[in-house]
Amino acid sequence: CVPLPSELRAPPDESAWVGIPGMWLAVKGFEDSESGMFRYFGSKASLAQHLPAPTHGTIVELFAGSAAYALRYATPNTRVVLIEKIPDIAAVWRYLQQESSTAEILQLPIPSIGESLDNYPGLSAVQRKLISLFTSVGNKPHTNNMTVGAWTKWNETTRRALSERTRLVRGWTIVCGDYREASKYVEGEA
């Protein structure tokens, strides 16, 4: 985990942990506007539509996962901070932010059902983890299941849609850390 820059500081005021109401940017390939960036055990995707729209310029997802809330409500002017405790998931978010990831995602393999992602030595650990979030749907993300299940969601359509969505997260701050320290990561906005 890389520590967050010191300029991101805030009082522990929960009202500072929400953002400007925005418009959802739907991309073909994802089921609906409530989806996160990827399938994730414990996702808030179905809950996000029932949560109030943000009222300040910052959204903080204390348990980032697939960032369903931020993806639903963030606008290009919204400051987004994702706090994720699982280092592999934080690494996936950082990978998705890279300019090069947009093209790289389109080149990632689409393995067959029953095939192991370990059979692709050219994949980095983070690329392998990213694909596994789609191929091992229903597994907890920390199980590191690298075998493609029959319920896989990783296909050409999903791969293309994910590649297109990377532009949405380029300016976001990704923190590998614990939600209990969230006030250290956010600048107050009253």
Side-chain angles (χ1 to χ4, degrees):
C1 296
V2 178
L4 191 67
S6 60
E7 69 268 16
L8 301 176
R9 300 278 185 238
D13 175 1
E14 290 184 319
S15 66
W17 299 351
V18 291
I20 299 170
M23 179 175 287
W24 173 248
L25 300 174
V27 177
K28 186 176 178 185
F30 287 82
E31 291 77 21
D32 54 49
S33 64
E34 281 68 61
S35 68
M37 186 65 93
F38 41 78
R39 297 281 181 154
Y40 194 78
F41 179 81
S43 172
K44 299 175 291 297
S46 62
L47 178 63
Q49 65 184 326
H50 302 291
L51 295 173
T55 58
H56 296 278
T58 300
I59 293 174
V60 177
E61 290 232 23
L62 300 175
F63 307 94
S66 65
Y69 184 84
L71 285 165
R72 179 178 176 84
Y73 289 112
T75 69
N77 297 323
T78 305
R79 183 168 164 260
V80 176
V81 178
L82 301 182
I83 301 174
E84 176 56 56
K85 189 172 185 174
I86 300 173
D88 287 350
I89 303 302
V92 165
W93 278 109
R94 288 189 180 116
Y95 172 74
L96 292 172
Q97 287 185 302
Q98 296 172 14
E99 190 75 37
S100 62
S101 72
T102 302
E104 285 178 16
I105 289 168
L106 294 173
Q107 301 304 313
L108 294 175
I110 300 174
S112 302
I113 294 171
E115 192 173 5
S116 173
L117 295 176
D118 293 327
N119 294 341
Y120 294 88
L123 292 177
S124 68
V126 73
Q127 289 171 329
R128 197 172 281 115
K129 185 59 172 183
L130 173 64
I131 295 170
S132 78
L133 292 168
F134 292 92
T135 62
S136 301
V137 177
N139 288 326
K140 293 181 181 178
H142 59 276
T143 62
N144 292 319
N145 183 352
M146 293 295 151
T147 302
V148 178
W151 50 85
T152 183
K153 300 293 183 190
W154 186 248
N155 55 47
E156 182 61 37
T157 302
T158 302
R159 185 173 66 176
R160 187 175 45 258
L162 179 67
S163 174
E164 292 172 11
R165 291 179 96 192
T166 60
R167 64 186 168 72
L168 300 175
V169 302
R170 292 265 158 71
W172 293 8
T173 301
I174 311 300
V175 176
C176 184
D178 192 283
Y179 76 94
R180 291 173 287 199
E181 299 174 1
S183 64
K184 295 190 307 188
Y185 307 132
V186 185
E187 184 177 330
E189 297 180 23

